[in-house]
Amino acid sequence: MHLRWRDAGALGTNAIVGGGVPLAAGAAWAQKAAGTDNVVITYFGDGAVNIGSVLETMNLAAAWKLPLCFFIENNGYAVATRVDEVTAEPRLSARGLAFNIPAWRVDGMDPLSTALATREALAHMRSGAGPTIIEASVYRYLHQSGALPGSAFGYRTKDEEEKWRSRDPLLLLAREMVGRGIVGVDEVDSLRARCLALVETSANDLTEPSNTNRRTVQVAHWPLASSHDEGIRSNLSELAGLQVVEESAFVGACDRRRFVDVIANVIGRRMEMDPRIIVLGEDIHRLKGGTNGATRGLAERFPDRVLGTPICEGAFLGLAGGAAIDGRYRPIVEFMYPDFMWVAADQIFNQIGKVRHMFGGTASAPLVLRTKVAMGTGYGSQHSMDPAGVFATAPGWRIAAPSTAFDYIGVMNAAVAMDDPVLVIEHVDLYQTMQLAPIDNLDYILPPGTAAVRRAGKRATVLTYLSMVTVALAAAEALEADVEIIDLRWLDRASFDWDTVGGSIVKTNNVLIIEQGCLGTSYGGWLADEIQRRYFDWLDAPISRVTGGEASPSISKILERAAVVGREEIETALVETLRYAS
């Protein structure tokens, strides 16, 4: 399920039905953008044809005329479910009509008809005309997994299996070649014997007999059990040599700018300096920089690298993932709202986040996913979540949540330079704020592992991020509370600054975690657990947390305010936390 051989053109198999199709679109986009005549073929079965991301990808590939062949291996059964049970149109190649994609329906048991159809499809794609579909009627002799036939499970008959076996492509090809005088029967038998011997030799080289009457992989080929967590993400060596600058040490010229304009400025700077960077998202090329202006001016400056997408998060994020895995491009993807990640959850968590570990370090996904927390805007339950807690539980992703314009520049520069997928979270409350930002130097980084102490104190350590940093500072000032406020900036396990946070906890012996979002998807849950495990002997009180309610914010302004964290809740939490302080 997790096979990859890049040099042979095998970009990676996939254990999620249809999961590799959006990634294949990204590989095809990369080939087209690089000016090659290479094409990409994505193989999937009849069961995957009804997957939403597969159909989304067909539409996207057709709209952008990608050199991508959707090769449908129609074996008649998705595990044990027949095609005609789950679709009103069993001719699966007919899906192409909806997207203006030419399609071929062939006897997949006939090597010649399959080869001829593929030749025509290749010519179509290499002419620049866009994607193709090939539906090949084939058959799997055994059950989806294991050595038993489908008839053993009762969903197929032995007669059906025998009829298909009589049409085996190898037997058919041999009969045709013998009948045409190309080879003799003895040559066919000799070739078959050599192939079987080669398979047996290979199996003997890799396996050995066991006491279970089955062969097992030789111990010398086993991985070390201790390596199970290796290769999840980069070691950050790609950041070596880049300029690291904190705002307190910055000596260049600065000016007050809108936070959202700083976002557009630093992305534009990176695109100017690195032609590998592309930007994708819905409406990012319109509306003077998308729905919030964060991509203002980029489409005019880089028309071929700012890609306005259809509304299909699963497909266009998967495409970006495939382009990143290709290695020649570094996509920056915008999701209008983090709630939309559930639409693209397979690509986020099963594909992009796991690709490095899944393929043993032979692939990486240098991709940035930008999104914004919109609590307080009245957009309701499906446009208001804080995604930090969800992403923090998923392997492979790094998470950044800057609270100042200066930090945003450094964090984004680091995120784009990394070979890992990075979620960069923004907040609508920050967009229109005027903050100091550099005028000339937009090239420094603030790498993972660099939290910032925003306010020194002795009686409690307050940990927070995004717009809650400013609110927490205001609350502490109003109460004249002797607390140390730390802006975490990087939130994931691998990027967390335990030196700064730990040093503060050892000093204060008291912790308060502040976040605005819902209790159920709380970021502070895992963080409190980790702090308790690391610093239990230093804590004089239970770890305090302030979060939103259990429900997502409502469309009602009254209920929305009641569901999220604001200054009042923070002040109450500070007073309560300081009761435990010595």
Side-chain angles (χ1 to χ4, degrees):
M1 287 185 172
H2 299 157
L3 301 177
R4 174 179 166 87
W5 187 6
R6 176 66 181 269
D7 292 345
L11 303 182
T13 56
N14 207 288
I16 298 295
V17 174
V21 176
L23 299 174
W29 183 91
Q31 297 295 344
K32 180 178 179 178
T36 76
D37 68 347
N38 293 335
V39 305
V40 175
I41 302 178
T42 178
Y43 294 92
F44 53 95
D46 45 276
V49 172
N50 296 320
I51 297 288
S53 61
V54 172
L55 300 173
E56 289 178 7
T57 304
M58 287 182 179
N59 176 67
L60 187 57
W64 290 2
K65 295 189 180 303
L66 302 181
L68 176 62
C69 177
F70 300 89
F71 198 105
I72 305 168
E73 297 171 322
N74 186 354
N75 59 42
Y77 295 88
V79 186
T81 302
R82 297 193 314 273
V83 171
D84 59 9
E85 290 182 87
V86 293
T87 178
E89 173 51 276
R91 297 172 302 170
L92 303 182
S93 50
R95 301 296 190 276
L97 293 172
F99 306 109
N100 196 26
I101 301 177
W104 290 258
R105 191 167 186 245
V106 301
D107 179 0
M109 307 297 273
D110 183 344
L112 181 58
S113 65
T114 304
L116 292 175
T118 303
R119 181 184 299 174
E120 291 185 21
L122 290 173
H124 177 88
M125 291 183 288
R126 286 187 169 130
S127 72
T132 58
I133 293 175
I134 296 176
E135 177 191 358
S137 299
V138 293
Y139 201 74
R140 51 176 169 81
Y141 302 138
L142 305 178
H143 185 55
Q144 185 191 31
S145 61
L148 296 175
S151 56
F153 298 89
Y155 65 89
R156 299 194 307 205
T157 66
K158 292 183 178 181
D159 286 344
E160 176 185 316
E161 291 168 348
E162 187 57 37
K163 287 179 181 178
W164 279 94
R165 276 189 177 277
S166 68
R167 301 184 58 239
D168 185 286
L170 296 179
L171 298 178
L172 173 62
L173 184 62
R175 285 198 301 267
E176 286 292 324
M177 294 182 71
V178 170
R180 294 168 184 263
I182 300 174
V183 296
V185 174
D186 291 344
E187 292 175 283
V188 171
D189 292 341
S190 174
L191 177 59
R192 184 178 297 276
R194 283 159 47 203
C195 289
L196 290 173
L198 179 60
V199 170
E200 184 175 4
T201 299
S202 299
N204 290 335
D205 288 342
L206 298 172
T207 64
E208 58 190 4
S210 71
N211 56 10
T212 62
N213 199 31
R214 300 178 66 182
R215 299 186 68 85
T216 61
V217 175
Q218 294 175 14
V219 175
H221 297 304
W222 291 3
L224 295 174
S226 59
S227 68
H228 65 95
D229 275 346
E230 292 180 4
I232 296 175
R233 56 186 65 83
S234 164
N235 62 9
L236 299 183
S237 60
E238 63 269 26
L239 300 184
L242 298 181
Q243 176 191 24
V244 179
V245 179
E246 291 284 353
E247 185 172 5
S248 59
F250 188 76
V251 295
C254 292
D255 194 8
R256 295 186 67 80
R257 297 181 179 179
R258 287 194 311 162
F259 193 107
V260 73
D261 293 336
V262 171
I263 295 174
N265 290 342
V266 68
I267 294 176
R269 173 62 175 172
R270 295 276 61 81
M271 296 183 75
E272 176 186 317
M273 299 300 294
D274 190 344
R276 299 175 298 172
I277 295 175
I278 59 174
V279 180
L280 301 87
E282 297 156 354
D283 284 326
I284 60 169
H285 61 321
R286 300 279 192 267
L287 307 176
K288 297 181 179 179
T291 54
N292 291 103
T295 53
R296 187 185 302 273
L298 299 183
E300 292 76 17
R301 293 174 61 190
F302 311 101
D304 296 331
R305 293 160 57 197
V306 176
L307 311 176
T309 67
I311 300 175
C312 57
E313 280 79 7
F316 73 71
L317 181 64
L319 183 146
I325 295 168
D326 173 86
R328 287 174 287 187
Y329 298 94
R330 305 181 86 85
I332 300 176
V333 180
E334 177 182 301
F335 274 13
M336 284 187 187
Y337 298 97
D339 309 69
F340 298 173
M341 72 175 178
W342 297 118
V343 181
D346 175 48
Q347 295 302 315
I348 291 173
F349 301 120
N350 281 325
Q351 310 299 338
I352 295 169
K354 295 178 181 177
V355 67
R356 178 189 289 272
H357 187 258
M358 190 168 69
F359 291 132
T362 64
S364 60
L367 177 150
V368 174
L369 174 59
R370 290 180 46 248
T371 193
K372 62 176 181 287
V373 176
M375 294 178 200
T377 58
Y379 282 146
S381 299
Q382 296 166 337
H383 290 69
S384 303
M385 81 175 296
D386 176 350
V390 176
F391 273 81
T393 64
W397 281 90
R398 295 185 187 267
I399 310 168
S403 68
T404 71
F406 184 94
D407 285 5
Y408 190 95
I409 294 171
V411 162
M412 177 56 74
N413 286 336
V416 171
M418 279 192 279
D419 289 335
D420 293 328
V422 182
L423 171 70
V424 177
I425 312 175
E426 301 156 11
H427 200 297
V428 292
D429 286 353
L430 298 173
Y431 278 163
Q432 301 305 318
T433 60
M434 300 296 293
Q435 299 188 15
L436 280 179
I439 296 174
D440 300 319
N441 181 1
L442 299 181
D443 298 324
Y444 60 90
I445 69 168
L446 289 171
T450 53
V453 177
R454 300 300 186 192
R455 186 180 194 271
K458 299 178 181 178
R459 299 184 65 202
T461 297
V462 177
L463 306 176
T464 189
Y465 55 95
L466 285 179
S467 62
M468 290 294 97
V469 174
T470 302
V471 182
L473 286 169
E477 290 295 330
L479 296 173
E480 298 182 351
D482 185 12
V483 297
E484 187 149 287
I485 297 178
I486 298 179
D487 183 350
L488 296 176
R489 296 199 295 209
W490 291 91
L491 306 182
D492 60 279
R493 296 174 187 270
S495 307
F496 199 87
D497 185 356
W498 285 111
D499 291 337
T500 298
V501 172
S504 180
I505 294 172
V506 168
K507 178 175 63 173
T508 67
N509 315 118
N510 199 2
V511 178
L512 170 63
I513 301 171
I514 298 174
E515 57 186 315
Q516 191 177 33
C518 298
L519 179 64
T521 55
S522 167
Y523 171 76
W526 86 266
L527 181 55
D529 174 76
E530 191 69 22
I531 291 172
Q532 188 264 155
R533 294 173 187 276
R534 290 175 180 249
Y535 298 100
F536 181 81
D537 289 341
W538 293 96
L539 294 171
D540 292 340
I543 297 169
S544 300
R545 292 169 53 201
V546 55
T547 70
E550 181 180 358
S552 301
S554 169
I555 200 74
S556 161
K557 287 192 176 295
I558 301 299
L559 296 179
E560 178 184 45
R561 175 61 190 90
V564 303
V565 170
R567 179 164 166 174
E568 293 85 351
E569 289 81 8
I570 292 175
E571 288 185 1
T572 300
L574 284 172
V575 171
E576 192 69 21
T577 300
L578 290 175
R579 286 177 54 196
Y580 298 109
S582 57

